[in-house]
Amino acid sequence: MSEKIPYKIYLSENELPTSWYNVRADMKNKPAPLLNPATHEPMKFEDLRPVFCDELIKQELDDTTAYIPIPDEIREFYKMYRPAPLVRAYCLEKKLGTPAKIYYKFEGNNTSGSHKLNSAIAQAYYAKKQGLRGVTTETGAGQWGTALSMACSYFDLDCQVYMVKVSYEQKPFRREVIRTYGAKITPSPSDTTEVGRKILAEFPGTGGSLGCAISEAVEAATKQEGYRYVLGSVLNQVLLHQTVIGLETMTAMDKYGIKPDVIIGCAGGGSNLGGLISPFMGRKLRGEADYEFIAVEPSSCPSLTRGKFVYDFCDTGHVCPLAKMYTLGSEFMPSPNHAGGLRYHGMSSILSQLYDDKLMEARSVEQTSVFAAAQEFARVEGILPAPESSHAIRVAIDEALKCKETGEEKTILFGLTGTGYFDMYAYKAFNDGTMSDYIPTDGEIAASLAKTPKI
Ligand SMILES: *Cc1c(COP(=O)(O)O)cnc(C)c1O
């Protein structure tokens, strides 16, 4: 193709995908089913109904339908901020002096500042359609709580967010964005739930944890008539909604005859990475094309690179179903000096299976090198990236520098999941030179893995 690729490839509204793509349909080894924590039997539709919305349970359990139509109401909402641009990082390439061609898909163009809105709007839609009054959820760093509050206000649905207390106190602006969208936000642990009161009695003054906030949100959902619990990552349904990222990227690349050699994404629970790679992975699984996929995780929370592929609890409170995944154990806590997000102990079952089948690679990176990449990127590409996204930037730069040595003209694609304006304390630590790296010892990981359930 002789025509120069533009800096930004924008699709038109009509090119917005009409269906999500369910990669499970093309997987030979399907991800293992969720299990009931008490009986260890696979969870069926009826078992999940008290907690999740009906239509979302169907999506969760569907391993065979390749394309699931995106309802018009959701596509209308998507049109407010999608299709998202695919950017050719010409300026970064030049700065690095690499022959590689670098592209990134930018998901930070909405108020939640991340890709999470793609699934939040779908989950709110199905809750509304079922005639529910509201939904409950937890949020750690706050992106998911923001995205869900935006989605719920759009569909006039009540939204109750349990925010990990330390984040609630450290990120007052994130909290106010959530309140602006009308959600009720409670620092967790709180005295509004039984489990919260129990934890407060046992550990007065605790800053809370994601696991505790999940337990409170689930209890709040099951104890109120017309409420369900929703989750922003890890689950199959969330990964499905996020395939809008990969489908748009594939359309844009096909249009210009671009074929990525390497596709890179950061991995917390796996939803953005799964969403970006799914359609490309589908081609690989069907033998139509080959790509190299790289999941990037923090060295302080290395579930794929150092975890085990076993059934584990999804939450610290052990109220949720068991999932087979790469995990560090549900009681694993990344070191408190870890600032870069992606602190979930497990990983999407879909990605775990693909990784175990050697269809995808994983790398772990240290946070000071992640922030160095974030800074380098911000200075030439003009976007202040989220710490989470910067894990992908780190490995994209590393790959591009490898090309500089070998002279290879690889095409590198990575997911830029969001912006980092609410992470300025982390940037401050990096700028002050006080940020450090902590890598858990084998002993620490073995200790938390010893507590996975025996299945
Ligand atoms: C939540 C989040 C992530 C990680 O979540 P995944 O489910 O692994 O995608 C990455 N980047 C940003 C900006 C996020 O908000």
Side-chain angles (χ1 to χ4, degrees), residues 5-12 16 78-89 102-110 118 244-253 256 258 276 377 381 383 413-419:
I5 307 289
Y7 273 73
K8 287 197 173 79
I9 302 176
Y10 283 107
L11 298 177
S12 73
L16 197 72
Y78 279 165
K79 285 178 190 170
M80 275 197 276
Y81 68 101
R82 309 198 69 84
L86 176 69
V87 185
R88 171 77 183 265
I102 308 174
Y103 293 85
Y104 58 90
K105 178 74 166 169
F106 182 47
E107 290 291 324
N109 267 332
N110 70 79
N118 300 331
V244 68
I245 303 171
L247 291 162
E248 283 180 10
T249 305
M250 186 175 255
T251 304
M253 290 196 140
Y256 283 88
I258 307 160
L276 175 66
F377 180 85
E381 289 291 324
I383 293 171
L413 163 67
F414 72 91
L416 188 69
T417 50
T419 47

Side-chain angles (χ1 to χ4, degrees), residues 115-365:
H115 63 286
K116 294 212 170 61
L117 193 54
N118 300 331
S119 182
I121 194 63
Q123 298 195 46
Y125 167 77
Y126 290 118
K128 186 71 184 178
K129 206 174 141 220
Q130 194 176 322
L132 297 173
R133 287 185 45 214
V135 292
T136 71
T137 199
E138 77 290 333
T139 196
Q143 288 97 314
W144 169 245
T146 309
L148 190 68
S149 63
M150 292 172 72
C152 286
S153 70
Y154 183 76
F155 284 122
D156 196 20
L157 206 59
D158 188 37
C159 179
Q160 301 173 358
V161 179
Y162 287 86
M163 186 166 185
V164 177
K165 195 186 269 167
V166 276
S167 289
Y168 181 90
E169 282 157 7
Q170 278 172 5
K171 298 192 173 188
F173 296 148
R174 183 59 89 182
R175 188 169 90 200
E176 289 316 312
V177 178
I178 295 175
R179 289 179 62 207
T180 300
Y181 283 94
K184 184 172 143 209
I185 179 159
T186 309
S188 168
S190 74
D191 60 7
T192 65
T193 63
E194 236 167 73
V195 57
R197 286 189 291 273
K198 208 172 118 196
I199 291 165
L200 281 175
E202 207 172 326
F203 308 100
T206 173
S209 71
L210 212 50
C212 165
I214 294 177
S215 307
E216 286 206 271
V218 172
E219 181 184 324
T222 49
K223 287 208 170 146
Q224 295 174 91
E225 186 71 31
Y227 281 77
R228 293 293 186 280
Y229 167 70
V230 296
L231 193 65
S233 184
V234 188
L235 296 176
N236 298 339
Q237 56 185 276
V238 182
L239 201 139
L240 174 75
H241 305 146
Q242 294 298 355
T243 61
V244 68
I245 303 171
L247 291 162
E248 283 180 10
T249 305
M250 186 175 255
T251 304
M253 290 196 140
D254 285 353
K255 213 165 152 172
Y256 283 88
I258 307 160
K259 184 194 170 284
D261 298 300
V262 192
I263 307 179
I264 301 163
C266 63
S271 73
N272 88 83
L273 174 67
L276 175 66
I277 70 173
S278 275
F280 296 98
M281 183 62 82
R283 282 183 177 170
K284 180 167 171 146
L285 291 166
R286 297 188 301 270
E288 297 163 9
D290 198 13
Y291 309 93
E292 191 184 338
F293 301 103
I294 308 175
V296 191
E297 57 187 16
S299 333
S300 53
C301 190
S303 40
L304 286 169
T305 50
R306 294 176 68 197
K308 262 201 329 212
F309 190 35
V310 291
Y311 268 103
D312 196 9
F313 303 101
C314 291
D315 60 316
T316 328
H318 301 179
V319 294
C320 299
L322 306 175
K324 188 174 178 199
M325 57 187 176
Y326 274 86
T327 179
L328 295 164
S330 63
E331 287 174 28
F332 182 83
M333 281 279 176
S335 147
N337 82 349
H338 168 74
L342 312 176
R343 46 175 65 243
Y344 188 61
H345 67 274
M347 184 57 61
S348 137
S349 292
I350 296 175
L351 292 186
S352 292
Q353 187 63 52
L354 292 168
Y355 178 64
D356 203 58
D357 288 340
K358 312 242 173 330
L359 290 158
M360 181 181 92
E361 295 167 45
R363 275 184 215 170
S364 68
V365 289

